[in-house]
Amino acid sequence: MDGYLIWTILGIVLITIEMVTGTFYLLVLGVGAFAGALAAWLGAPFLGQVASAGVVASAGTFWVYKWHISQKQSGTASNDLDAGQPVVLAHWINQADGMMRVKYRGTEWDARIKPGDLAAAGAVPGATLFILGMDGQTLVVASQRA
């Protein structure tokens, strides 16, 4: 089997697995495999194929990492469809750390207060707060809509 076909199959497999995980890391590895396939198709030796795949995958992984960090620091990101929606404080998990359970979409969710929001930090059960974004599976909430 030709080298470019092996690289192409590897890229397709990685991107297919990525569709299940949703992290983008396997996506950039798959794109890196496609870069290796292109190098093989152009007649590069195996070391050149590996180098091109590695450079593309490394650059993409670095970019995805930086993107994830910037999304975490902004306190928004993964689910912008929920941003601005009201939630009701069910009870505090740890008020000093700003962790609580809120009622949203018919169930309870873990939530944390946006750092520096003193009005939300003093909220009592039953108070209405607003979603700013998500940090993993935890809602980031504040006393005012963003």
Side-chain angles (χ1 to χ4, degrees):
M1 186 181 289
D2 290 331
Y4 74 91
L5 288 176
I6 294 171
W7 283 107
T8 302
I9 291 169
L10 178 63
I12 291 170
V13 167
L14 287 168
I15 290 174
T16 302
I17 294 170
E18 168 58 36
M19 290 181 185
V20 175
T21 64
T23 63
F24 291 111
Y25 288 106
L26 289 176
L27 177 66
V28 296
L29 293 178
V31 171
F34 288 139
L38 178 63
W41 185 73
L42 293 173
F46 181 70
L47 189 58
Q49 298 168 28
V50 171
S52 63
V55 166
V56 170
S58 295
T61 301
F62 178 75
W63 178 80
V64 170
Y65 173 76
K66 289 293 188 182
W67 181 77
H68 277 285
I69 294 298
S70 71
Q71 295 299 308
K72 277 189 174 182
Q73 288 175 347
S74 69
T76 62
S78 40
N79 201 350
D80 289 335
L81 295 175
D82 294 324
Q85 296 297 315
V87 297
V88 176
L89 173 59
H91 60 88
W92 286 98
I93 295 172
N94 186 339
Q95 192 166 4
D97 290 338
M99 295 299 297
M100 63 183 77
R101 295 285 287 174
V102 296
K103 292 180 184 177
Y104 179 59
R105 287 196 262 164
T107 189
E108 287 191 4
W109 294 65
D110 285 333
R112 70 172 169 79
I113 297 172
K114 174 186 169 187
D117 190 345
L118 297 177
V124 296
T128 300
L129 302 169
F130 299 94
I131 298 173
L132 296 179
M134 292 189 73
D135 182 12
Q137 295 295 318
T138 303
L139 297 172
V140 179
V141 298
S143 59
Q144 303 280 328
R145 280 193 171 116

